[in-house]
Amino acid sequence: MRVFLDANVLFSASNVGSNVVSLIALLCERQTAVACNLAIEEARKNVALKRPAWRPGFDELLKRVDILPSILFELQIQLDRKDAPLLCAAIRGRCSHFVTGDKRDFGHLYGQVVQGVEVISLLRLAKLQTV
């Protein structure tokens, strides 16, 4: 299973000692964690601006994540142009899941499969990891 991590998940997984860090560590032991350069740059910017003390955790996280290039192609669903390259990268990277906490932009897609990629929340990922 290849699991794409959105920028907000990367950000949260940079907080050493948090439950999200533990969840992503478990994911990395069992499957492949994936992100694209666009998600990584957004997360890096947010860590630097909002939580600079999390930078070491962010750097450690990136050592365990496969990095894909961002890409944009037409999707058969409604998605803002700024968010589409993230889902497109997950599709092109043959990921099984796209994990995001961004309910505003991706919430309408939770539980849906878009071109082979299921869009899920962190809570759903946690449930999948405990099975």
Side-chain angles (χ1 to χ4, degrees):
M1 186 162 84
R2 290 172 56 84
V3 178
F4 188 95
L5 306 177
D6 191 14
N8 58 65
V9 175
L10 295 170
F11 176 82
S12 296
S14 300
N15 181 10
V16 176
S18 73
N19 290 336
V20 176
V21 170
S22 300
L23 175 60
I24 300 305
L26 183 61
L27 169 71
C28 291
E29 288 174 16
R30 297 177 175 179
Q31 285 95 26
T32 303
V34 179
C36 69
N37 57 325
L38 185 64
I40 290 168
E41 288 311 311
E42 182 179 340
R44 180 178 282 122
K45 178 185 79 172
N46 287 331
V47 166
L49 288 173
K50 299 174 183 178
R51 300 285 190 269
W54 292 5
R55 181 63 191 261
F58 181 74
D59 292 340
E60 283 301 310
L61 171 64
L62 290 185
K63 293 177 183 177
R64 296 179 283 153
V65 173
D66 286 356
I67 302 172
L68 303 172
S70 299
I71 187 165
L72 181 61
F73 50 83
E74 190 170 331
L75 295 169
Q76 302 301 316
I77 47 100
Q78 187 71 15
L79 195 59
D80 198 51
R81 187 157 177 84
K82 71 176 179 52
D83 297 313
L86 302 168
L87 186 54
C88 288
I91 293 165
R92 182 65 50 91
R94 297 190 174 148
C95 296
S96 56
H97 296 85
F98 179 93
V99 182
T100 182
D102 184 351
K103 291 179 184 175
R104 183 186 62 197
D105 294 322
F106 290 99
H108 67 287
L109 297 174
Y110 279 172
Q112 291 187 39
V113 177
V114 180
Q115 292 180 238
V117 179
E118 184 179 4
V119 179
I120 62 172
S121 66
L122 275 167
L123 181 59
R124 177 74 177 124
L125 177 64
K127 288 177 181 176
L128 289 173
Q129 292 303 307
T130 59
V131 174

